[in-house]
Protein backbone atom coordinates (compact mmCIF):
# COMPACT_ATOMS: atom_id res chain seq x y z
CA UNK A 1 0.00 0.00 0.00
CA UNK A 2 1.24 3.53 -0.77
CA UNK A 3 2.43 5.89 1.96
CA UNK A 4 0.94 9.32 2.54
CA UNK A 5 3.31 11.87 0.99
CA UNK A 6 5.96 9.09 0.89
CA UNK A 7 6.31 9.30 4.66
CA UNK A 8 6.54 6.40 7.16
CA UNK A 9 3.29 6.01 9.09
CA UNK A 10 4.75 7.18 12.40
CA UNK A 11 6.10 10.40 10.84
CA UNK A 12 2.88 11.67 9.20
CA UNK A 13 2.03 15.23 10.26
CA UNK A 14 -0.67 17.80 9.55
CA UNK A 15 1.55 19.24 6.80
CA UNK A 16 1.44 15.88 4.98
CA UNK A 17 -2.35 15.82 5.23
CA UNK A 18 -2.59 19.35 3.84
CA UNK A 19 -0.34 18.39 0.90
CA UNK A 20 -2.51 15.34 0.25
CA UNK A 21 -5.68 17.44 0.25
CA UNK A 22 -4.21 20.06 -2.06
CA UNK A 23 -3.01 17.47 -4.60
CA UNK A 24 -6.03 15.17 -4.66
CA UNK A 25 -8.72 16.29 -7.09
CA UNK A 26 -11.15 13.74 -5.72
CA UNK A 27 -11.14 10.67 -3.57
CA UNK A 28 -8.98 7.95 -5.09
CA UNK A 29 -8.56 4.20 -4.94
CA UNK A 30 -6.50 4.46 -1.73
CA UNK A 31 -8.05 7.49 0.00
CA UNK A 32 -11.50 8.19 1.38
CA UNK A 33 -12.42 11.51 3.06
CA UNK A 34 -15.23 11.46 5.58
CA UNK A 35 -17.01 14.13 7.57
CA UNK A 36 -17.30 13.88 11.32
CA UNK A 37 -21.00 13.25 10.71
CA UNK A 38 -20.44 10.02 8.72
CA UNK A 39 -22.67 7.20 9.92
CA UNK A 40 -21.15 4.08 11.46
CA UNK A 41 -22.56 1.84 8.70
CA UNK A 42 -20.96 3.91 5.91
CA UNK A 43 -17.65 4.02 7.73
CA UNK A 44 -17.72 0.23 8.11
CA UNK A 45 -18.42 -0.24 4.39
CA UNK A 46 -15.22 1.63 3.56
CA UNK A 47 -13.15 -0.38 6.06
CA UNK A 48 -14.49 -3.66 4.67
CA UNK A 49 -13.76 -2.56 1.09
CA UNK A 50 -10.17 -1.51 1.79
CA UNK A 51 -9.52 -4.74 3.74
CA UNK A 52 -10.87 -6.92 0.95
CA UNK A 53 -8.90 -5.08 -1.74
CA UNK A 54 -5.45 -3.50 -1.43
CA UNK A 55 -5.76 -1.39 1.70
CA UNK A 56 -6.15 2.36 2.03
CA UNK A 57 -6.81 5.34 4.27
CA UNK A 58 -9.94 6.91 5.70
CA UNK A 59 -9.48 10.51 6.83
CA UNK A 60 -12.15 11.49 9.36
CA UNK A 61 -12.84 15.18 9.83
CA UNK A 62 -12.69 16.23 6.16
CA UNK A 63 -15.83 17.66 4.53
CA UNK A 64 -17.04 17.14 0.93
CA UNK A 65 -14.99 20.08 -0.29
CA UNK A 66 -11.82 18.62 1.28
CA UNK A 67 -11.74 21.22 4.01
CA UNK A 68 -10.57 20.26 7.47
CA UNK A 69 -13.58 20.53 9.78
CA UNK A 70 -12.27 18.40 12.63
CA UNK A 71 -13.94 15.70 14.72
CA UNK A 72 -16.10 15.93 17.82
CA UNK A 73 -18.30 12.88 17.22
CA UNK A 74 -15.50 10.46 16.33
CA UNK A 75 -12.52 9.63 18.52
CA UNK A 76 -9.98 6.78 18.73
CA UNK A 77 -12.09 4.72 21.11
CA UNK A 78 -15.17 4.96 18.91
CA UNK A 79 -13.16 4.05 15.79
CA UNK A 80 -11.71 0.96 17.45
CA UNK A 81 -15.03 -0.14 18.95
CA UNK A 82 -16.95 0.39 15.71
CA UNK A 83 -14.50 -1.65 13.65
CA UNK A 84 -14.12 -4.41 16.24
CA UNK A 85 -17.88 -4.74 16.72
CA UNK A 86 -18.93 -4.55 13.08
CA UNK A 87 -16.50 -6.56 10.93
CA UNK A 88 -15.47 -10.23 11.06
CA UNK A 89 -12.65 -11.07 11.19
CA UNK A 90 -11.20 -7.91 12.67
CA UNK A 91 -9.26 -6.03 9.95
CA UNK A 92 -5.64 -4.98 10.27
CA UNK A 93 -5.81 -1.27 10.98
CA UNK A 94 -4.21 1.56 12.89
CA UNK A 95 -5.41 5.01 13.93
CA UNK A 96 -3.43 8.23 14.09
CA UNK A 97 -4.70 11.39 15.76
CA UNK A 98 -3.51 14.58 14.04
CA UNK A 99 -4.10 18.02 15.48
CA UNK A 100 -4.52 21.18 13.43
CA UNK A 101 -5.69 24.71 14.17
CA UNK A 102 -8.93 23.77 12.39
CA UNK A 103 -9.69 20.72 14.47
CA UNK A 104 -8.70 17.11 15.13
CA UNK A 105 -8.33 14.67 12.24
CA UNK A 106 -8.24 10.89 12.58
CA UNK A 107 -6.36 8.98 9.91
CA UNK A 108 -7.38 5.32 9.79
CA UNK A 109 -4.93 3.11 7.91
CA UNK A 110 -6.45 -0.18 6.75
CA UNK A 111 -4.10 -2.86 5.48
CA UNK A 112 -4.94 -5.40 2.82
CA UNK A 113 -6.41 -8.24 4.85
CA UNK A 114 -4.49 -11.44 5.48
CA UNK A 115 -7.55 -13.67 5.84
CA UNK A 116 -10.41 -12.20 3.77
CA UNK A 117 -13.29 -11.83 3.29
CA UNK A 118 -13.96 -9.09 5.86
CA UNK A 119 -17.71 -9.25 6.34
CA UNK A 120 -19.83 -6.53 7.92
CA UNK A 121 -22.30 -7.26 10.70
CA UNK A 122 -25.02 -7.01 8.03
CA UNK A 123 -23.47 -9.95 6.20
CA UNK A 124 -22.12 -7.93 3.26
CA UNK A 125 -18.71 -8.04 1.62
CA UNK A 126 -17.38 -4.83 0.04
CA UNK A 127 -14.58 -4.14 -2.44
CA UNK A 128 -12.82 -0.98 -3.60
CA UNK A 129 -13.45 0.03 -7.21
CA UNK A 130 -12.03 3.29 -8.56
CA UNK A 131 -12.82 5.83 -5.82
CA UNK A 132 -15.81 4.04 -4.31
CA UNK A 133 -16.77 1.00 -2.22
CA UNK A 134 -19.34 -1.49 -3.48
CA UNK A 135 -21.00 -4.71 -2.34
CA UNK A 136 -19.60 -7.80 -4.03
CA UNK A 137 -22.47 -9.72 -5.64
CA UNK A 138 -20.57 -11.75 -8.21
CA UNK A 139 -20.15 -15.33 -6.94
CA UNK A 140 -16.89 -15.75 -8.86
CA UNK A 141 -15.35 -12.72 -7.08
CA UNK A 142 -16.39 -14.09 -3.70
CA UNK A 143 -14.81 -17.40 -4.64
CA UNK A 144 -11.59 -15.60 -5.57
CA UNK A 145 -11.52 -13.92 -2.16
CA UNK A 146 -11.90 -17.24 -0.35
CA UNK A 147 -9.11 -18.69 -2.50
CA UNK A 148 -6.95 -15.73 -1.49
CA UNK A 149 -7.74 -16.46 2.16
CA UNK A 150 -6.68 -20.08 1.78
CA UNK A 151 -3.44 -19.07 0.06
CA UNK A 152 -2.61 -16.55 2.79
CA UNK A 153 -3.28 -19.09 5.55
CA UNK A 154 -1.03 -21.57 3.77
CA UNK A 155 1.75 -18.97 3.71
CA UNK A 156 1.35 -18.39 7.44
CA UNK A 157 1.28 -22.12 8.04
CA UNK A 158 4.52 -22.59 6.11
CA UNK A 159 6.13 -19.81 8.14
CA UNK A 160 5.22 -20.73 11.69
CA UNK A 161 4.21 -24.39 11.89
CA UNK A 162 6.97 -26.86 12.72
CA UNK A 163 7.60 -30.17 10.99
CA UNK A 164 6.67 -33.32 12.95
CA UNK A 165 9.53 -35.09 14.68
CA UNK A 166 10.98 -38.06 12.83
CA UNK A 167 12.48 -40.32 15.49
CA UNK A 168 14.17 -42.63 13.01
CA UNK A 169 15.98 -45.45 14.82
CA UNK A 170 16.31 -43.55 18.09
CA UNK A 171 14.55 -44.82 21.18
CA UNK A 172 11.97 -42.48 22.68
CA UNK A 173 10.65 -44.45 25.64
CA UNK A 174 10.32 -41.35 27.79
CA UNK A 175 8.85 -39.02 25.15
CA UNK A 176 5.05 -39.01 25.23
CA UNK A 177 4.55 -36.19 22.78
CA UNK A 178 5.07 -32.49 22.29
CA UNK A 179 3.25 -29.17 22.14
CA UNK A 180 3.91 -26.87 19.18
CA UNK A 181 2.73 -23.29 19.10
CA UNK A 182 3.46 -20.19 17.10
CA UNK A 183 2.14 -16.86 15.93
CA UNK A 184 2.54 -14.68 12.87
CA UNK A 185 2.97 -11.06 13.95
CA UNK A 186 1.50 -8.02 12.20
CA UNK A 187 2.58 -4.52 13.24
CA UNK A 188 1.88 -1.06 11.88
CA UNK A 189 5.59 -0.31 11.49
CA UNK A 190 8.99 -1.89 12.06
CA UNK A 191 9.74 -2.83 15.64
CA UNK A 192 13.06 -2.15 17.34
CA UNK A 193 13.72 -5.89 17.07
CA UNK A 194 13.42 -5.81 13.28
CA UNK A 195 15.52 -2.68 12.89
CA UNK A 196 18.36 -4.11 15.00
CA UNK A 197 17.99 -7.81 14.13
CA UNK A 198 21.50 -8.39 12.82
CA UNK A 199 23.16 -6.29 15.54
CA UNK A 200 21.23 -7.62 18.54
CA UNK A 201 23.20 -8.12 21.74
CA UNK A 202 22.24 -11.60 22.94
CA UNK A 203 24.49 -11.67 25.99
CA UNK A 204 21.68 -10.75 28.40
CA UNK A 205 19.57 -13.64 27.11
CA UNK A 206 22.55 -16.00 27.46
CA UNK A 207 23.04 -14.85 31.05
CA UNK A 208 19.35 -15.37 31.76
CA UNK A 209 19.27 -18.89 30.30
CA UNK A 210 22.57 -19.79 31.95
CA UNK A 211 21.17 -18.91 35.37
CA UNK A 212 18.61 -21.66 34.94
CA UNK A 213 21.33 -24.33 35.10
CA UNK A 214 19.60 -26.81 32.80
CA UNK A 215 21.61 -26.23 29.62
CA UNK A 216 20.83 -23.98 26.68
CA UNK A 217 21.92 -23.04 23.18
CA UNK A 218 21.58 -19.85 21.12
CA UNK A 219 21.99 -19.92 17.34
CA UNK A 220 21.39 -17.61 14.41
CA UNK A 221 20.03 -19.48 11.41
CA UNK A 222 19.63 -17.04 8.56
CA UNK A 223 16.75 -14.71 9.35
CA UNK A 224 15.79 -16.34 12.65
CA UNK A 225 17.17 -16.79 16.14
CA UNK A 226 16.97 -20.19 17.86
CA UNK A 227 16.96 -20.62 21.63
CA UNK A 228 16.83 -24.08 23.21
CA UNK A 229 16.15 -24.67 26.89
CA UNK A 230 17.37 -27.87 28.56
CA UNK A 231 18.98 -30.87 26.90
CA UNK A 232 17.76 -34.15 25.45
CA UNK A 233 19.44 -37.44 24.56
CA UNK A 234 18.57 -40.72 22.85
CA UNK A 235 19.92 -44.27 22.71
CA UNK A 236 20.23 -46.62 19.77
CA UNK A 237 19.74 -50.37 19.66
CA UNK A 238 23.15 -50.85 21.30
CA UNK A 239 22.04 -48.63 24.21
CA UNK A 240 24.70 -46.03 23.38
CA UNK A 241 23.95 -42.35 23.04
CA UNK A 242 23.30 -41.28 19.46
CA UNK A 243 22.34 -37.93 17.88
CA UNK A 244 18.73 -37.20 18.70
CA UNK A 245 16.06 -36.48 16.12
CA UNK A 246 15.99 -32.90 14.86
CA UNK A 247 13.45 -30.84 16.79
CA UNK A 248 13.56 -33.10 19.85
CA UNK A 249 14.16 -30.24 22.29
CA UNK A 250 12.35 -27.47 24.09
CA UNK A 251 13.05 -24.48 21.87
CA UNK A 252 11.76 -21.21 20.46
CA UNK A 253 12.56 -19.73 17.07
CA UNK A 254 12.04 -15.99 16.63
CA UNK A 255 11.81 -14.90 13.02
CA UNK A 256 13.04 -11.61 11.60
CA UNK A 257 9.55 -10.08 11.56
CA UNK A 258 8.93 -10.98 15.22
CA UNK A 259 6.87 -14.08 14.45
CA UNK A 260 7.47 -17.18 16.59
CA UNK A 261 7.44 -20.95 16.40
CA UNK A 262 8.20 -23.08 19.44
CA UNK A 263 8.09 -26.61 20.84
CA UNK A 264 7.73 -28.07 24.34
CA UNK A 265 8.38 -31.77 24.93
CA UNK A 266 6.17 -33.95 27.10
CA UNK A 267 8.42 -36.50 28.74
CA UNK A 268 8.19 -38.80 31.73
CA UNK A 269 10.72 -39.93 34.27
CA UNK A 270 11.77 -43.51 34.90
CA UNK A 271 9.52 -44.90 32.20
CA UNK A 272 6.26 -43.93 33.91
CA UNK A 273 3.16 -42.55 32.19
CA UNK A 274 3.31 -39.28 34.14
CA UNK A 275 4.30 -36.06 32.38
CA UNK A 276 4.99 -32.76 34.11
CA UNK A 277 2.50 -29.89 33.86
CA UNK A 278 4.82 -27.37 35.59
CA UNK A 279 7.41 -27.99 32.86
CA UNK A 280 4.95 -26.70 30.26
CA UNK A 281 4.22 -23.57 32.28
CA UNK A 282 7.92 -23.09 33.06
CA UNK A 283 8.87 -23.33 29.36
CA UNK A 284 6.17 -20.88 28.27
CA UNK A 285 7.40 -18.44 30.89
CA UNK A 286 10.99 -18.77 29.67
CA UNK A 287 9.99 -18.24 26.05
CA UNK A 288 7.96 -15.17 26.96
CA UNK A 289 10.89 -13.71 28.92
CA UNK A 290 13.30 -14.26 26.02
CA UNK A 291 10.91 -12.58 23.62
CA UNK A 292 10.40 -9.58 25.90
CA UNK A 293 14.14 -9.16 26.40
CA UNK A 294 14.78 -9.14 22.65
CA UNK A 295 11.84 -7.00 21.64
CA UNK A 296 13.18 -3.98 23.51
CA UNK A 297 10.33 -1.81 22.30
CA UNK A 298 8.39 0.26 24.84
CA UNK A 299 5.99 1.40 22.09
CA UNK A 300 5.19 -2.17 21.00
CA UNK A 301 1.56 -1.91 22.15
CA UNK A 302 1.09 1.05 19.79
CA UNK A 303 2.65 -0.81 16.84
CA UNK A 304 0.98 -4.17 17.52
CA UNK A 305 -2.02 -4.83 15.28
CA UNK A 306 -2.65 -8.54 15.58
CA UNK A 307 -1.15 -12.02 15.61
CA UNK A 308 -2.46 -15.20 14.03
CA UNK A 309 -1.77 -17.97 16.53
CA UNK A 310 -1.96 -21.75 16.52
CA UNK A 311 -1.28 -24.54 19.01
CA UNK A 312 -0.96 -28.24 18.45
CA UNK A 313 -0.59 -31.24 20.73
CA UNK A 314 1.06 -34.27 19.15
CA UNK A 315 0.63 -37.32 21.37
CA UNK A 316 2.81 -40.38 20.75
CA UNK A 317 1.73 -42.35 23.79
CA UNK A 318 -0.98 -41.98 26.41
CA UNK A 319 0.09 -39.96 29.39
CA UNK A 320 -1.09 -38.72 32.75
CA UNK A 321 -0.37 -35.03 33.49
CA UNK A 322 0.82 -34.37 37.04
CA UNK A 323 2.17 -31.48 39.07
CA UNK A 324 5.65 -32.49 40.17
CA UNK A 325 9.19 -31.26 40.92
CA UNK A 326 7.95 -28.13 42.67
CA UNK A 327 10.26 -26.87 45.42
CA UNK A 328 7.35 -25.39 47.32
CA UNK A 329 5.95 -28.06 49.68
CA UNK A 330 2.76 -26.06 50.23
CA UNK A 331 2.26 -25.81 46.49
CA UNK A 332 2.68 -29.57 46.11
CA UNK A 333 0.05 -30.13 48.78
CA UNK A 334 -2.31 -27.72 47.03
CA UNK A 335 -1.89 -29.45 43.70
CA UNK A 336 -2.22 -32.88 45.25
CA UNK A 337 -5.61 -31.85 46.61
CA UNK A 338 -6.51 -30.33 43.25
CA UNK A 339 -5.58 -33.51 41.37
CA UNK A 340 -7.55 -35.67 43.78
CA UNK A 341 -10.59 -33.44 43.40
CA UNK A 342 -10.27 -33.50 39.60
CA UNK A 343 -9.95 -37.31 39.54
CA UNK A 344 -12.92 -37.76 41.86
CA UNK A 345 -15.10 -35.48 39.75
CA UNK A 346 -13.97 -36.37 36.22
CA UNK A 347 -12.64 -39.90 36.61
CA UNK A 348 -8.96 -39.19 36.24
CA UNK A 349 -6.94 -37.29 33.67
CA UNK A 350 -5.45 -39.60 31.07
CA UNK A 351 -4.65 -37.93 27.74
CA UNK A 352 -5.35 -40.44 24.98
CA UNK A 353 -5.48 -38.40 21.78
CA UNK A 354 -3.94 -35.39 20.05
CA UNK A 355 -5.57 -32.08 19.26
CA UNK A 356 -5.05 -28.81 17.44
CA UNK A 357 -6.32 -25.47 18.74
CA UNK A 358 -8.23 -24.12 16.92
CA UNK A 359 -9.25 -27.06 14.78
CA UNK A 360 -9.52 -25.44 11.36
CA UNK A 361 -8.19 -21.91 11.56
CA UNK A 362 -5.89 -19.59 13.45
CA UNK A 363 -6.92 -17.75 16.56
CA UNK A 364 -6.57 -13.97 16.19
CA UNK A 365 -4.91 -12.06 19.01
CA UNK A 366 -5.74 -8.36 18.84
CA UNK A 367 -6.76 -5.51 21.11
CA UNK A 368 -10.36 -6.66 21.33
CA UNK A 369 -9.49 -10.25 22.26
CA UNK A 370 -6.99 -9.07 24.90
CA UNK A 371 -9.42 -6.65 26.55
CA UNK A 372 -11.93 -9.46 27.01
CA UNK A 373 -9.78 -10.81 29.81
CA UNK A 374 -7.81 -7.85 31.19
CA UNK A 375 -8.43 -4.18 31.89
CA UNK A 376 -5.14 -2.83 30.57
CA UNK A 377 -3.91 -3.03 27.00
CA UNK A 378 -0.13 -2.73 27.18
CA UNK A 379 3.07 -4.61 26.36
CA UNK A 380 2.62 -7.03 29.27
CA UNK A 381 -0.95 -7.97 28.41
CA UNK A 382 0.02 -8.54 24.77
CA UNK A 383 2.93 -10.78 25.81
CA UNK A 384 0.69 -12.72 28.15
CA UNK A 385 -1.80 -13.35 25.34
CA UNK A 386 0.86 -14.34 22.83
CA UNK A 387 2.54 -16.82 25.18
CA UNK A 388 -0.45 -18.21 27.04
CA UNK A 389 -1.57 -21.67 26.03
CA UNK A 390 -4.86 -23.52 26.11
CA UNK A 391 -2.72 -26.64 26.55
CA UNK A 392 -0.74 -25.46 29.57
CA UNK A 393 -2.83 -27.51 32.03
CA UNK A 394 -3.01 -30.49 29.67
CA UNK A 395 -6.42 -31.90 30.48
CA UNK A 396 -7.28 -30.46 33.86
CA UNK A 397 -10.65 -28.72 33.83
CA UNK A 398 -11.56 -26.71 36.94
CA UNK A 399 -9.84 -23.53 38.06
CA UNK A 400 -6.57 -24.42 39.73
CA UNK A 401 -4.45 -22.76 42.42
CA UNK A 402 -1.63 -20.52 41.27
CA UNK A 403 1.23 -20.61 43.78
CA UNK A 404 4.00 -18.12 43.14
CA UNK A 405 6.41 -21.01 42.60
CA UNK A 406 4.79 -21.70 39.24
CA UNK A 407 5.32 -18.15 38.03
CA UNK A 408 9.05 -18.05 38.77
Amino acid sequence: MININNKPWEEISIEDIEILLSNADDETFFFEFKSDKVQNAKFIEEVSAFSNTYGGYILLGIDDDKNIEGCTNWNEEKIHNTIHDSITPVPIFDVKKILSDKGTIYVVKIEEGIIPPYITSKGKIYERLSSGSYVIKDASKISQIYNKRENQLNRIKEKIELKPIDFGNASSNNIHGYIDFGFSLTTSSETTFQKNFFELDLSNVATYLGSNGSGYTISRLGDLLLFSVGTASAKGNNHKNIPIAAGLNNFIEILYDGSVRARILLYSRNGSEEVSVPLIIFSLSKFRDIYKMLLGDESFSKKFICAHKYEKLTLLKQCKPVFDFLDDTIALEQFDQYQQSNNLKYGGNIIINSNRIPKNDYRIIDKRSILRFVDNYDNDSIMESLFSSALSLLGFIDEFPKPESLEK
Side-chain angles (χ1 to χ4, degrees):
M1 189 174 68
I2 65 172
N3 292 331
I4 295 177
N5 202 25
N6 294 318
K7 287 282 193 69
W9 172 246
E10 59 270 19
E11 296 179 11
I12 294 173
S13 66
I14 184 59
E15 288 77 15
D16 299 305
I17 301 301
E18 290 172 343
I19 292 172
L20 173 68
L21 295 174
S22 65
N23 290 340
D25 294 331
D26 293 297
E27 291 164 322
T28 69
F29 189 80
F30 291 103
F31 296 98
E32 187 74 35
F33 308 127
K34 292 298 179 187
S35 162
D36 182 47
K37 299 180 178 64
V38 65
Q39 296 298 307
N40 291 17
K42 184 59 180 174
F43 174 73
I44 287 303
E45 291 175 11
E46 309 294 355
V47 176
S48 171
F50 281 130
S51 298
N52 286 320
T53 317
Y54 297 108
Y57 301 87
I58 301 173
L59 281 71
L60 287 170
I62 310 294
D63 67 18
D64 292 338
D65 297 321
K66 296 190 302 175
N67 296 315
I68 297 175
E69 64 175 13
C71 290
T72 56
N73 179 45
W74 287 88
N75 55 42
E76 288 188 66
E77 182 179 7
K78 181 177 179 179
I79 294 169
H80 278 275
N81 291 340
T82 301
I83 294 175
H84 280 108
D85 294 343
S86 304
I87 299 181
T88 303
V90 178
I92 302 169
F93 74 98
D94 199 4
V95 181
K96 180 179 286 292
K97 179 180 180 180
I98 296 182
L99 302 177
S100 78
D101 55 5
K102 299 177 183 178
T104 300
I105 302 169
Y106 292 99
V107 182
V108 185
K109 180 175 73 168
I110 302 104
E111 300 284 355
E112 177 182 355
I114 296 175
I115 49 173
Y118 292 84
I119 307 172
T120 70
S121 55
K122 294 182 179 180
K124 296 181 178 180
I125 303 171
Y126 289 82
E127 66 175 337
R128 191 76 176 169
L129 295 174
S130 184
S131 59
S133 301
Y134 303 92
V135 176
I136 301 177
K137 298 179 180 180
D138 187 334
S140 64
K141 281 192 175 182
I142 293 177
S143 179
Q144 289 173 4
I145 288 179
Y146 276 100
N147 287 336
K148 177 181 175 182
R149 173 193 180 96
E150 185 175 352
N151 291 337
Q152 293 282 26
L153 286 174
N154 285 336
R155 290 190 188 98
I156 294 175
K157 179 177 180 178
E158 285 295 316
K159 180 170 71 170
I160 64 174
E161 293 195 19
L162 292 162
K163 302 293 184 183
I165 298 174
D166 181 4
F167 287 93
N169 295 322
S171 172
S172 59
N173 290 334
N174 67 329
I175 303 296
H176 287 256
Y178 48 93
I179 294 172
D180 290 344
F181 77 93
F183 56 82
S184 178
L185 185 70
T186 301
T187 57
S188 61
S189 58
E190 273 195 325
T191 62
T192 303
F193 174 79
Q194 289 172 280
K195 292 177 181 177
N196 302 323
F197 181 81
F198 292 102
E199 291 81 33
L200 285 171
D201 181 1
L202 304 176
S203 58
N204 57 339
V205 180
T207 300
Y208 171 71
L209 292 176
S211 65
N212 182 46
S214 60
Y216 70 94
T217 62
I218 301 176
S219 307
R220 187 189 297 277
L221 302 173
D223 289 345
L224 68 80
L225 295 170
L226 169 65
F227 304 85
S228 68
V229 181
T231 57
S233 62
K235 296 183 181 297
N237 295 329
N238 57 3
H239 302 292
K240 292 183 179 180
N241 286 338
I242 62 173
I244 64 172
L248 193 56
N249 293 86
N250 293 335
F251 67 87
I252 179 172
E253 294 179 354
I254 306 177
L255 284 65
Y256 170 82
D257 67 351
S259 299
V260 158
R261 52 194 183 209
R263 173 167 290 160
I264 300 171
L265 298 181
L266 306 177
Y267 65 87
S268 61
R269 300 186 179 190
N270 303 320
S272 72
E273 65 177 355
E274 297 180 344
V275 300
S276 173
V277 172
L279 181 60
I280 301 171
I281 302 172
F282 171 82
S283 299
L284 288 168
S285 176
K286 288 291 182 185
F287 294 160
R288 182 188 63 217
D289 290 347
I290 292 170
Y291 194 78
K292 288 174 66 175
M293 292 170 74
L294 290 177
L295 199 64
D297 200 330
E298 295 181 359
S299 62
F300 180 63
S301 61
K302 296 180 179 179
K303 297 178 181 178
F304 176 78
I305 295 177
C306 69
H308 293 79
K309 180 178 176 180
Y310 91 105
E311 301 178 62
K312 181 180 181 182
L313 167 65
T314 300
L315 203 67
L316 305 172
K317 294 183 290 188
Q318 289 187 175
C319 63
K320 180 180 181 180
V322 296
F323 292 93
D324 65 349
F325 76 79
L326 291 171
D327 296 330
D328 191 333
T329 303
I330 297 177
L332 279 172
E333 292 175 354
Q334 284 181 286
F335 282 116
D336 184 56
Q337 294 174 3
Y338 172 70
Q339 289 177 149
Q340 290 183 34
S341 174
N342 185 89
N343 294 347
L344 181 63
K345 186 174 181 180
Y346 300 109
N349 188 18
I350 303 294
I351 309 301
I352 63 172
N353 199 10
S354 298
N355 202 358
R356 185 183 187 283
I357 302 172
K359 276 283 188 180
N360 301 312
D361 212 339
Y362 287 86
R363 185 157 59 96
I364 297 178
I365 306 297
D366 60 6
K367 186 174 184 178
R368 178 175 64 173
S369 68
I370 292 171
L371 290 176
R372 287 176 185 167
F373 303 102
V374 298
D375 295 328
N376 297 321
Y377 177 76
D378 52 24
N379 283 7
D380 288 338
S381 61
I382 294 173
M383 294 298 166
E384 188 64 32
S385 295
L386 293 176
F387 287 92
S388 63
S389 173
L391 294 165
S392 61
L393 292 184
L394 205 59
F396 287 101
I397 296 173
D398 293 334
E399 185 177 354
F400 74 108
K402 294 183 179 179
E404 291 184 1
S405 55
L406 265 185
E407 301 297 329
K408 294 180 180 178

